[in-house]
Amino acid sequence: YCSRKLSSKVEKAPTTMMNADMDAVEAENQVELEEKTRLINQVLELQHTLEDLSARVDAVKEENLKLKSENQVLGQYIENLMSASSVFQTTDTKSKRK
């Protein structure tokens, strides 16, 4: 009886160790899976942020081109006004002295 009981304990020990090892591996796999999930979510969030920033850059470029064009029109308009106005005409001091 004693040897049968001892033999039974010895046979159960590897199984218990195997189960403990499997539990440890499962726990480690779970931690790795959670870390991968967290990293994937972080990458997706960064991708969305990059898309938003890219769209904003495109909008700013478009606005910049529009403003440059408006500035050119205004500059030409001011130049035309100045050339038409006698206040901004250059005076020839030599001809006035004669």
Side-chain angles (χ1 to χ4, degrees):
Y1 171 76
C2 228
S3 89
R4 202 179 310 146
K5 195 170 186 182
L6 181 60
S7 159
S8 173
K9 283 183 180 178
V10 170
E11 288 172 7
K12 287 182 182 177
T15 305
T16 304
M17 287 181 67
M18 208 183 294
N19 286 341
D21 289 343
M22 288 175 56
D23 289 344
V25 168
E26 276 185 40
E28 189 175 314
N29 287 342
Q30 183 64 30
V31 168
E32 285 180 14
L33 182 62
E34 288 172 1
E35 179 67 10
K36 285 180 184 178
T37 302
R38 186 186 68 76
L39 288 173
I40 288 170
N41 288 335
Q42 189 176 13
V43 166
L44 291 173
E45 184 179 332
L46 290 171
Q47 282 178 338
H48 290 130
T49 301
L50 181 59
E51 288 170 359
D52 292 344
L53 289 172
S54 180
R56 178 70 179 130
V57 165
D58 290 342
V60 168
K61 281 182 181 178
E62 189 175 315
E63 182 69 16
N64 186 37
L65 289 174
K66 180 182 168 189
L67 292 173
K68 277 185 179 180
S69 175
E70 289 176 4
N71 281 345
Q72 285 179 336
V73 170
L74 288 172
Q76 187 63 46
Y77 177 72
I78 291 170
E79 208 175 284
N80 290 342
L81 285 175
M82 288 174 63
S83 66
S85 172
S86 62
V87 174
F88 295 105
Q89 296 296 321
T90 59
T91 57
D92 191 3
T93 56
K94 290 181 184 177
S95 62
K96 284 188 176 179
R97 286 186 184 170
K98 288 184 181 180

XYZ file of all heavy atoms in Angstrom:
776
model
N 0.830 -1.188 0.000
C 0.000 0.000 0.000
C 0.873 1.249 0.000
O 0.608 2.180 -0.750
C -0.947 -0.039 1.209
C -1.705 1.257 1.406
C -2.785 1.578 0.591
C -1.353 2.151 2.409
C -3.471 2.746 0.776
C -2.033 3.313 2.605
C -3.115 3.620 1.775
O -3.806 4.771 1.964
N 1.878 1.296 0.793
C 2.757 2.445 0.930
C 3.473 2.706 -0.378
O 3.586 3.848 -0.802
C 3.787 2.172 2.012
S 3.910 3.527 3.156
N 3.950 1.695 -1.032
C 4.686 1.897 -2.267
C 3.739 2.335 -3.369
O 4.098 3.118 -4.233
C 5.446 0.643 -2.646
O 4.692 -0.210 -3.420
N 2.466 1.844 -3.344
C 1.480 2.259 -4.334
C 1.157 3.746 -4.145
O 1.034 4.489 -5.094
C 0.218 1.416 -4.200
C -0.555 1.439 -5.489
C -1.823 0.603 -5.482
N -1.636 -0.746 -5.002
C -2.548 -1.431 -4.317
N -3.718 -0.892 -4.038
N -2.333 -2.643 -3.906
N 1.009 4.202 -2.906
C 0.692 5.591 -2.589
C 1.863 6.492 -3.009
O 1.655 7.555 -3.590
C 0.410 5.728 -1.097
C -0.264 7.014 -0.747
C -0.721 6.995 0.673
C -1.517 8.235 0.988
N -1.941 8.315 2.341
N 3.084 6.096 -2.727
C 4.261 6.843 -3.104
C 4.373 6.914 -4.617
O 4.646 7.977 -5.189
C 5.520 6.203 -2.509
C 6.835 6.902 -2.796
C 6.812 8.324 -2.249
C 7.976 6.130 -2.191
N 4.136 5.817 -5.266
C 4.190 5.758 -6.714
C 3.138 6.680 -7.315
O 3.381 7.358 -8.300
C 3.969 4.322 -7.156
O 3.546 4.275 -8.473
N 1.960 6.743 -6.723
C 0.884 7.602 -7.195
C 1.289 9.076 -7.068
O 1.021 9.879 -7.960
C -0.383 7.320 -6.393
O -1.377 8.243 -6.723
N 1.934 9.452 -5.970
C 2.370 10.831 -5.762
C 3.451 11.203 -6.780
O 3.477 12.305 -7.292
C 2.897 11.037 -4.349
C 1.823 11.145 -3.310
C 2.408 11.427 -1.958
C 1.289 11.530 -0.932
N 1.826 11.763 0.404
N 4.344 10.298 -7.050
C 5.429 10.550 -7.998
C 4.860 10.740 -9.398
O 5.295 11.596 -10.147
C 6.461 9.399 -7.965
C 7.452 9.530 -9.113
C 7.179 9.385 -6.631
N 3.836 9.967 -9.741
C 3.231 10.096 -11.064
C 2.459 11.406 -11.187
O 2.407 12.006 -12.250
C 2.287 8.915 -11.334
C 3.032 7.627 -11.574
C 2.103 6.431 -11.651
O 0.872 6.637 -11.657
O 2.599 5.313 -11.709
N 1.845 11.876 -10.108
C 1.072 13.112 -10.150
C 1.990 14.344 -10.182
O 1.622 15.374 -10.706
C 0.151 13.213 -8.934
C -1.028 12.280 -9.012
C -1.922 12.454 -7.822
C -3.083 11.473 -7.891
N -3.922 11.567 -6.715
N 3.168 14.253 -9.637
C 4.073 15.391 -9.558
C 4.414 15.950 -10.939
O 4.313 17.155 -11.149
C 5.321 15.028 -8.785
N 4.805 15.144 -11.910
C 5.107 15.700 -13.233
C 3.878 16.358 -13.863
O 3.982 17.394 -14.510
C 5.564 14.514 -14.052
C 6.038 13.517 -13.061
C 5.180 13.745 -11.843
N 2.712 15.778 -13.648
C 1.493 16.356 -14.207
C 1.221 17.709 -13.589
O 0.878 18.669 -14.283
C 0.296 15.409 -13.961
O 0.610 14.131 -14.489
C -0.951 15.930 -14.606
N 1.404 17.811 -12.274
C 1.193 19.086 -11.592
C 2.202 20.115 -12.081
O 1.843 21.268 -12.336
C 1.317 18.899 -10.070
O 0.401 17.886 -9.657
C 1.038 20.176 -9.334
N 3.441 19.705 -12.247
C 4.465 20.617 -12.740
C 4.160 21.034 -14.172
O 4.311 22.192 -14.546
C 5.850 19.986 -12.654
C 6.377 19.892 -11.228
S 8.003 19.165 -11.147
C 8.974 20.401 -11.941
N 3.691 20.097 -14.960
C 3.357 20.384 -16.343
C 2.205 21.399 -16.395
O 2.230 22.336 -17.179
C 2.973 19.098 -17.081
C 3.276 19.165 -18.554
S 2.764 17.698 -19.438
C 3.821 16.449 -18.758
N 1.207 21.212 -15.530
C 0.084 22.149 -15.479
C 0.554 23.535 -15.039
O 0.113 24.545 -15.575
C -1.008 21.642 -14.535
C -1.790 20.491 -15.128
O -1.783 20.290 -16.338
N -2.441 19.726 -14.270
N 1.450 23.586 -14.071
C 1.976 24.865 -13.597
C 2.765 25.546 -14.710
O 2.651 26.760 -14.905
C 2.849 24.662 -12.369
N 3.567 24.777 -15.431
C 4.322 25.331 -16.550
C 3.384 25.855 -17.630
O 3.592 26.927 -18.191
C 5.262 24.284 -17.149
C 6.439 23.962 -16.245
O 6.711 24.769 -15.327
O 7.068 22.917 -16.459
N 2.342 25.099 -17.903
C 1.373 25.511 -18.921
C 0.652 26.784 -18.488
O 0.411 27.679 -19.294
C 0.370 24.388 -19.212
C 1.001 23.247 -19.998
S -0.068 21.817 -20.250
C -1.478 22.532 -21.028
N 0.317 26.874 -17.193
C -0.330 28.082 -16.676
C 0.597 29.285 -16.811
O 0.173 30.383 -17.173
C -0.744 27.896 -15.213
C -1.914 26.933 -15.054
O -2.592 26.654 -16.070
O -2.145 26.472 -13.924
N 1.880 29.070 -16.528
C 2.849 30.151 -16.642
C 2.990 30.593 -18.097
O 3.055 31.795 -18.391
C 4.198 29.722 -16.089
N 3.024 29.640 -19.002
C 3.124 29.955 -20.437
C 1.872 30.692 -20.893
O 1.947 31.684 -21.621
C 3.347 28.671 -21.272
C 3.166 28.940 -22.752
C 4.726 28.095 -20.990
N 0.712 30.238 -20.442
C -0.545 30.909 -20.794
C -0.562 32.338 -20.265
O -0.986 33.260 -20.969
C -1.745 30.140 -20.240
C -2.198 29.002 -21.111
C -3.469 28.356 -20.586
O -4.374 29.076 -20.121
O -3.540 27.129 -20.639
N -0.109 32.533 -19.043
C -0.070 33.871 -18.451
C 0.883 34.762 -19.241
O 0.581 35.925 -19.511
C 0.349 33.799 -16.988
N 2.026 34.215 -19.622
C 3.002 34.973 -20.404
C 2.427 35.316 -21.782
O 2.574 36.449 -22.262
C 4.281 34.148 -20.560
C 5.429 34.919 -21.160
C 6.705 34.094 -21.186
O 7.023 33.461 -20.172
O 7.370 34.117 -22.237
N 1.752 34.352 -22.395
C 1.107 34.603 -23.688
C 0.036 35.679 -23.565
O -0.116 36.515 -24.451
C 0.504 33.322 -24.261
C 1.559 32.361 -24.776
O 2.706 32.755 -25.016
N 1.184 31.114 -24.949
N -0.700 35.653 -22.479
C -1.746 36.650 -22.258
C -1.138 38.043 -22.120
O -1.639 39.006 -22.687
C -2.569 36.293 -21.009
C -3.724 37.233 -20.729
C -4.779 37.208 -21.805
O -4.989 36.197 -22.468
N -5.442 38.322 -21.995
N -0.035 38.136 -21.390
C 0.650 39.420 -21.218
C 1.157 39.919 -22.575
O 1.005 41.100 -22.913
C 1.806 39.298 -20.201
C 2.705 40.518 -20.223
C 1.253 39.061 -18.808
N 1.749 39.017 -23.357
C 2.246 39.393 -24.680
C 1.108 39.844 -25.583
O 1.231 40.829 -26.317
C 2.991 38.220 -25.327
C 4.360 37.969 -24.742
C 5.071 36.794 -25.406
O 4.624 36.353 -26.492
O 6.063 36.320 -24.841
N -0.015 39.138 -25.535
C -1.176 39.493 -26.340
C -1.715 40.866 -25.949
O -2.036 41.689 -26.819
C -2.269 38.427 -26.187
C -3.531 38.639 -27.005
C -3.214 38.621 -28.493
C -4.559 37.576 -26.674
N -1.780 41.132 -24.656
C -2.242 42.446 -24.191
C -1.290 43.551 -24.637
O -1.728 44.625 -25.049
C -2.393 42.446 -22.668
C -3.577 41.630 -22.175
C -3.613 41.464 -20.665
O -2.717 41.998 -19.974
O -4.538 40.787 -20.184
N 0.007 43.276 -24.578
C 1.007 44.261 -25.000
C 0.891 44.513 -26.508
O 0.940 45.655 -26.962
C 2.419 43.767 -24.642
C 3.537 44.700 -25.062
C 3.556 46.024 -24.322
O 2.825 46.194 -23.328
O 4.293 46.916 -24.763
N 0.720 43.447 -27.288
C 0.553 43.600 -28.736
C -0.706 44.401 -29.048
O -0.688 45.288 -29.908
C 0.480 42.234 -29.421
C 1.811 41.539 -29.540
C 1.666 40.198 -30.216
C 2.973 39.447 -30.257
N 2.841 38.123 -30.870
N -1.777 44.112 -28.351
C -3.033 44.836 -28.554
C -2.853 46.310 -28.222
O -3.312 47.189 -28.960
C -4.152 44.226 -27.688
O -4.295 42.844 -28.029
C -5.466 44.932 -27.890
N -2.167 46.595 -27.130
C -1.912 47.980 -26.733
C -1.080 48.692 -27.793
O -1.380 49.828 -28.180
C -1.196 48.020 -25.383
C -1.017 49.420 -24.806
C -0.182 49.426 -23.541
N 1.215 49.080 -23.789
C 2.122 49.902 -24.332
N 1.775 51.111 -24.682
N 3.363 49.518 -24.505
N -0.049 48.024 -28.302
C 0.809 48.630 -29.319
C 0.049 48.854 -30.623
O 0.207 49.892 -31.272
C 2.045 47.755 -29.560
C 3.077 47.747 -28.433
C 4.160 46.707 -28.714
C 3.688 49.115 -28.233
N -0.781 47.908 -31.010
C -1.577 48.054 -32.226
C -2.520 49.250 -32.090
O -2.644 50.067 -33.007
C -2.360 46.758 -32.543
C -1.384 45.684 -33.038
C -3.459 47.011 -33.562
C -1.988 44.300 -33.149
N -3.166 49.370 -30.934
C -4.060 50.508 -30.707
C -3.296 51.827 -30.745
O -3.786 52.820 -31.277
C -4.808 50.351 -29.383
C -5.858 49.275 -29.446
O -6.373 48.948 -30.510
N -6.184 48.701 -28.298
N -2.100 51.830 -30.190
C -1.279 53.039 -30.196
C -0.867 53.402 -31.628
O -0.910 54.575 -32.010
C -0.036 52.823 -29.331
C 0.771 54.076 -29.108
C 1.947 53.833 -28.160
O 2.304 52.702 -27.864
N 2.555 54.903 -27.702
N -0.499 52.409 -32.421
C -0.131 52.652 -33.822
C -1.326 53.208 -34.592
O -1.202 54.171 -35.357
C 0.395 51.357 -34.485
C 0.453 51.496 -36.000
C 1.770 50.996 -33.945
N -2.500 52.630 -34.388
C -3.701 53.116 -35.069
C -4.014 54.560 -34.677
O -4.368 55.382 -35.532
C -4.892 52.211 -34.769
C -4.828 50.809 -35.378
C -5.974 49.945 -34.870
C -4.842 50.880 -36.898
N -3.869 54.865 -33.411
C -4.109 56.232 -32.939
C -3.116 57.207 -33.581
O -3.489 58.298 -34.022
C -3.996 56.294 -31.420
C -4.312 57.647 -30.837
C -4.207 57.666 -29.316
O -4.402 56.614 -28.676
O -3.932 58.745 -28.782
N -1.850 56.799 -33.661
C -0.835 57.642 -34.283
C -1.101 57.817 -35.781
O -0.880 58.899 -36.332
C 0.558 57.067 -34.052
C 1.069 57.153 -32.612
C 2.363 56.354 -32.451
C 1.277 58.593 -32.181
N -1.597 56.771 -36.436
C -1.936 56.873 -37.856
C -3.064 57.887 -38.060
O -3.008 58.705 -38.983
C -2.354 55.517 -38.416
C -1.194 54.594 -38.706
C -1.644 53.238 -39.220
O -2.772 52.815 -38.998
N -0.750 52.547 -39.899
N -4.072 57.842 -37.197
C -5.180 58.795 -37.309
C -4.685 60.226 -37.065
O -5.098 61.159 -37.762
C -6.308 58.435 -36.347
C -7.033 57.195 -36.731
N -7.271 56.165 -35.849
C -7.579 56.800 -37.909
C -7.916 55.206 -36.467
N -8.120 55.555 -37.721
N -3.799 60.380 -36.091
C -3.233 61.695 -35.815
C -2.451 62.199 -37.023
O -2.564 63.370 -37.407
C -2.318 61.638 -34.572
O -3.085 61.186 -33.461
C -1.711 62.995 -34.252
N -1.670 61.325 -37.639
C -0.895 61.691 -38.818
C -1.814 62.084 -39.973
O -1.559 63.068 -40.678
C 0.020 60.541 -39.234
C 0.913 60.780 -40.452
C 1.836 61.969 -40.214
C 1.715 59.533 -40.770
N -2.898 61.342 -40.165
C -3.866 61.676 -41.214
C -4.477 63.047 -40.967
O -4.631 63.851 -41.892
C -4.963 60.616 -41.283
C -4.499 59.291 -41.861
C -5.531 58.177 -41.702
O -6.606 58.420 -41.116
O -5.257 57.064 -42.172
N -4.827 63.318 -39.706
C -5.400 64.622 -39.356
C -4.400 65.751 -39.616
O -4.759 66.803 -40.167
C -5.845 64.648 -37.889
C -7.030 63.737 -37.614
O -7.702 63.321 -38.575
O -7.273 63.443 -36.428
N -3.150 65.539 -39.216
C -2.122 66.551 -39.431
C -1.857 66.769 -40.922
O -1.679 67.902 -41.376
C -0.825 66.161 -38.718
C -0.846 66.251 -37.198
C 0.431 65.662 -36.615
C -1.024 67.682 -36.740
N -1.847 65.702 -41.670
C -1.629 65.792 -43.114
C -2.753 66.587 -43.779
O -2.499 67.445 -44.645
C -1.536 64.388 -43.709
O -1.315 64.461 -45.098
N -3.987 66.326 -43.368
C -5.130 67.069 -43.905
C -5.016 68.542 -43.533
O -5.309 69.429 -44.350
C -6.439 66.478 -43.386
N -4.572 68.817 -42.326
C -4.409 70.209 -41.873
C -3.322 70.912 -42.679
O -3.477 72.073 -43.072
C -4.069 70.223 -40.377
C -3.820 71.582 -39.806
C -5.089 72.413 -39.729
N -4.779 73.702 -39.140
C -5.144 74.861 -39.658
N -5.873 74.900 -40.733
N -4.810 75.982 -39.080
N -2.215 70.225 -42.947
C -1.131 70.800 -43.749
C -1.643 71.125 -45.152
O -1.361 72.202 -45.691
C 0.089 69.844 -43.807
C 1.065 70.246 -44.905
C 0.794 69.807 -42.461
N -2.405 70.224 -45.742
C -2.969 70.466 -47.068
C -3.877 71.692 -47.065
O -3.828 72.521 -47.980
C -3.736 69.241 -47.572
C -2.821 68.073 -47.914
O -1.603 68.296 -48.097
O -3.326 66.934 -47.991
N -4.705 71.827 -46.030
C -5.613 72.974 -45.926
C -4.821 74.278 -45.776
O -5.162 75.293 -46.398
C -6.566 72.789 -44.749
N -3.762 74.240 -44.977
C -2.939 75.434 -44.776
C -2.216 75.814 -46.072
O -2.125 76.995 -46.420
C -1.942 75.232 -43.609
C -0.893 76.327 -43.563
C -2.698 75.155 -42.283
N -1.726 74.814 -46.808
C -1.068 75.097 -48.094
C -2.043 75.765 -49.060
O -1.702 76.729 -49.736
C -0.537 73.798 -48.723
C 0.749 73.300 -48.147
C 1.196 72.044 -48.875
C 2.480 71.489 -48.330
N 2.872 70.244 -49.028
N -3.250 75.242 -49.122
C -4.272 75.801 -50.003
C -4.599 77.242 -49.607
O -4.683 78.133 -50.457
C -5.531 74.932 -49.940
C -6.576 75.285 -50.967
C -7.752 74.326 -50.932
O -7.529 73.114 -50.860
O -8.894 74.826 -50.969
N -4.757 77.477 -48.315
C -5.036 78.829 -47.811
C -3.865 79.762 -48.119
O -4.065 80.923 -48.506
C -5.305 78.786 -46.305
C -5.645 80.120 -45.686
C -6.995 80.680 -46.104
O -7.823 79.927 -46.638
O -7.200 81.890 -45.900
N -2.651 79.277 -47.982
C -1.457 80.066 -48.269
C -1.423 80.487 -49.741
O -1.132 81.645 -50.050
C -0.204 79.270 -47.899
C 1.060 80.081 -48.029
O 1.091 81.259 -47.741
N 2.125 79.429 -48.483
N -1.707 79.556 -50.638
C -1.728 79.888 -52.062
C -2.793 80.939 -52.370
O -2.565 81.872 -53.148
C -1.966 78.627 -52.900
C -0.808 77.635 -52.966
C -1.224 76.363 -53.702
C 0.390 78.275 -53.664
N -3.946 80.792 -51.744
C -5.033 81.753 -51.936
C -4.608 83.149 -51.460
O -4.823 84.145 -52.159
C -6.267 81.280 -51.166
C -7.465 82.167 -51.280
C -8.617 81.626 -50.450
C -9.706 82.659 -50.320
N -10.736 82.260 -49.368
N -3.995 83.207 -50.290
C -3.551 84.494 -49.751
C -2.436 85.110 -50.597
O -2.399 86.336 -50.794
C -3.099 84.338 -48.298
C -4.214 84.020 -47.297
C -3.623 83.713 -45.920
C -5.212 85.161 -47.209
N -1.525 84.302 -51.117
C -0.467 84.817 -51.991
C -1.075 85.453 -53.239
O -0.664 86.530 -53.671
C 0.494 83.698 -52.402
C 1.562 83.384 -51.399
C 2.524 82.341 -51.962
C 3.615 82.027 -50.971
N 4.557 81.021 -51.507
N -2.047 84.774 -53.793
C -2.713 85.294 -54.988
C -3.420 86.610 -54.678
O -3.320 87.582 -55.452
C -3.713 84.261 -55.500
O -4.438 84.773 -56.582
N -4.115 86.660 -53.556
C -4.789 87.902 -53.155
C -3.782 89.021 -52.921
O -4.036 90.176 -53.286
C -5.628 87.672 -51.901
C -6.870 86.838 -52.140
C -7.650 86.528 -50.862
O -7.270 87.029 -49.777
O -8.643 85.793 -50.951
N -2.648 88.699 -52.316
C -1.604 89.706 -52.083
C -1.054 90.249 -53.395
O -0.756 91.448 -53.509
C -0.471 89.130 -51.234
C -0.819 89.086 -49.762
O -1.768 89.722 -49.324
N -0.045 88.322 -49.004
N -0.892 89.390 -54.384
C -0.413 89.848 -55.685
C -1.410 90.815 -56.316
O -1.031 91.855 -56.857
C -0.172 88.661 -56.622
C 1.083 87.882 -56.309
C 1.266 86.700 -57.243
O 0.308 86.189 -57.819
N 2.509 86.250 -57.382
N -2.692 90.477 -56.234
C -3.731 91.346 -56.787
C -3.725 92.683 -56.059
O -3.764 93.749 -56.689
C -5.118 90.668 -56.710
C -6.233 91.644 -57.042
C -5.170 89.461 -57.628
N -3.673 92.644 -54.741
C -3.652 93.891 -53.961
C -2.390 94.710 -54.246
O -2.446 95.935 -54.352
C -3.754 93.597 -52.466
C -5.129 93.131 -51.973
C -5.043 92.694 -50.514
C -6.158 94.230 -52.144
N -1.264 94.051 -54.362
C -0.010 94.742 -54.675
C -0.093 95.440 -56.018
O 0.333 96.605 -56.156
N -0.634 94.768 -57.002
C -0.787 95.368 -58.330
C -1.757 96.548 -58.275
O -1.520 97.594 -58.877
C -1.289 94.312 -59.333
C -1.328 94.801 -60.766
C 0.068 95.151 -61.274
O 1.023 94.401 -61.085
N 0.184 96.300 -61.912
N -2.839 96.392 -57.522
C -3.828 97.461 -57.366
C -3.196 98.700 -56.722
O -3.370 99.825 -57.194
C -4.998 96.949 -56.518
C -6.049 97.988 -56.234
C -6.916 98.431 -57.229
C -6.185 98.523 -54.951
C -7.883 99.389 -56.961
C -7.145 99.489 -54.672
C -7.998 99.918 -55.678
O -8.950 100.868 -55.418
N -2.424 98.485 -55.650
C -1.755 99.599 -54.963
C -0.745 100.265 -55.891
O -0.642 101.500 -55.950
C -1.083 99.107 -53.654
C -2.160 98.733 -52.638
C -0.129 100.155 -53.103
C -1.638 98.005 -51.416
N -0.023 99.468 -56.635
C 0.954 100.007 -57.580
C 0.263 100.877 -58.629
O 0.735 101.980 -58.966
C 1.682 98.835 -58.262
C 3.077 99.138 -58.711
C 3.755 97.887 -59.252
O 4.159 97.040 -58.422
O 3.867 97.777 -60.479
N -0.872 100.415 -59.147
C -1.635 101.186 -60.136
C -2.149 102.490 -59.533
O -2.126 103.541 -60.184
C -2.803 100.373 -60.691
C -2.348 99.225 -61.572
O -1.212 99.221 -62.048
N -3.211 98.249 -61.778
N -2.638 102.437 -58.299
C -3.112 103.659 -57.634
C -1.984 104.664 -57.449
O -2.163 105.871 -57.654
C -3.733 103.337 -56.276
C -5.121 102.716 -56.265
C -5.525 102.361 -54.832
C -6.149 103.654 -56.883
N -0.827 104.155 -57.038
C 0.311 105.036 -56.803
C 0.780 105.678 -58.103
O 1.133 106.870 -58.127
C 1.459 104.258 -56.141
C 1.180 103.912 -54.692
S 2.426 102.845 -53.955
C 3.860 103.866 -54.035
N 0.796 104.947 -59.176
C 1.255 105.518 -60.451
C 0.234 106.509 -61.002
O 0.599 107.449 -61.710
C 1.550 104.424 -61.465
O 0.364 103.748 -61.821
N -1.042 106.345 -60.676
C -2.074 107.267 -61.148
C -2.163 108.515 -60.286
O -2.708 109.537 -60.722
C -3.426 106.554 -61.170
N -1.645 108.482 -59.097
C -1.746 109.618 -58.179
C -0.570 110.560 -58.347
O 0.588 110.140 -58.433
C -1.789 109.093 -56.738
O -1.712 110.162 -55.828
N -0.859 111.849 -58.336
C 0.203 112.844 -58.478
C 1.057 112.945 -57.223
O 2.191 113.398 -57.264
C -0.392 114.217 -58.826
O -1.235 114.651 -57.769
N 0.527 112.519 -56.103
C 1.277 112.570 -54.846
C 2.507 111.677 -54.914
O 3.569 112.011 -54.375
C 0.372 112.149 -53.655
C 1.185 112.064 -52.377
C -0.796 113.089 -53.512
N 2.389 110.561 -55.597
C 3.487 109.601 -55.635
C 4.350 109.734 -56.892
O 5.247 108.944 -57.113
C 2.951 108.166 -55.528
C 2.302 107.878 -54.206
C 0.915 107.810 -54.097
C 3.063 107.688 -53.076
C 0.318 107.543 -52.885
C 2.469 107.429 -51.861
C 1.098 107.355 -51.756
N 4.078 110.738 -57.716
C 4.877 110.941 -58.919
C 6.238 111.486 -58.521
O 6.366 112.288 -57.600
C 4.183 111.922 -59.872
C 2.864 111.413 -60.415
C 3.037 110.168 -61.268
O 3.992 110.070 -62.031
N 2.133 109.234 -61.136
N 7.265 111.047 -59.231
C 8.597 111.568 -58.942
C 8.709 112.975 -59.534
O 8.163 113.261 -60.586
C 9.689 110.660 -59.532
O 9.491 110.591 -60.939
C 9.659 109.288 -58.925
N 9.383 113.814 -58.829
C 9.561 115.188 -59.311
C 10.969 115.335 -59.850
O 11.936 114.804 -59.287
C 9.341 116.199 -58.180
O 10.229 115.888 -57.122
C 7.917 116.178 -57.704
N 11.071 116.037 -60.903
C 12.382 116.285 -61.512
C 12.862 117.641 -61.019
O 12.425 118.678 -61.508
C 12.267 116.244 -63.038
C 13.617 116.228 -63.703
O 14.644 116.195 -62.987
O 13.634 116.240 -64.931
N 13.728 117.649 -60.018
C 14.187 118.907 -59.396
C 15.038 119.725 -60.356
O 15.079 120.935 -60.246
C 14.961 118.613 -58.102
O 16.027 117.738 -58.397
C 14.074 118.062 -57.038
N 15.720 119.119 -61.276
C 16.573 119.838 -62.223
C 15.735 120.715 -63.140
O 16.091 121.848 -63.434
C 17.425 118.864 -63.042
C 18.495 118.174 -62.242
C 19.310 117.254 -63.118
C 20.319 116.501 -62.290
N 21.075 115.550 -63.091
N 14.636 120.184 -63.612
C 13.815 120.948 -64.543
C 13.123 122.104 -63.840
O 12.839 123.124 -64.463
C 12.793 120.063 -65.257
O 11.924 119.518 -64.305
N 12.822 121.989 -62.564
C 12.171 123.065 -61.804
C 13.135 124.199 -61.547
O 12.730 125.357 -61.486
C 11.630 122.533 -60.470
C 10.371 121.745 -60.614
C 9.821 121.436 -59.229
C 8.501 120.723 -59.369
N 7.927 120.385 -58.072
N 14.408 123.945 -61.408
C 15.386 124.966 -61.088
C 15.663 125.848 -62.309
O 16.091 126.956 -62.177
C 16.679 124.337 -60.595
C 16.547 123.793 -59.205
C 17.899 123.307 -58.703
N 17.734 122.697 -57.389
C 18.653 122.036 -56.780
N 19.825 121.828 -57.350
N 18.444 121.528 -55.613
N 15.481 125.350 -63.485
C 15.805 126.121 -64.682
C 14.825 127.162 -64.917
O 14.129 127.840 -64.780
C 15.838 125.225 -65.907
C 17.052 124.336 -65.888
C 17.082 123.549 -67.148
C 18.269 122.630 -67.154
N 18.356 121.853 -68.316
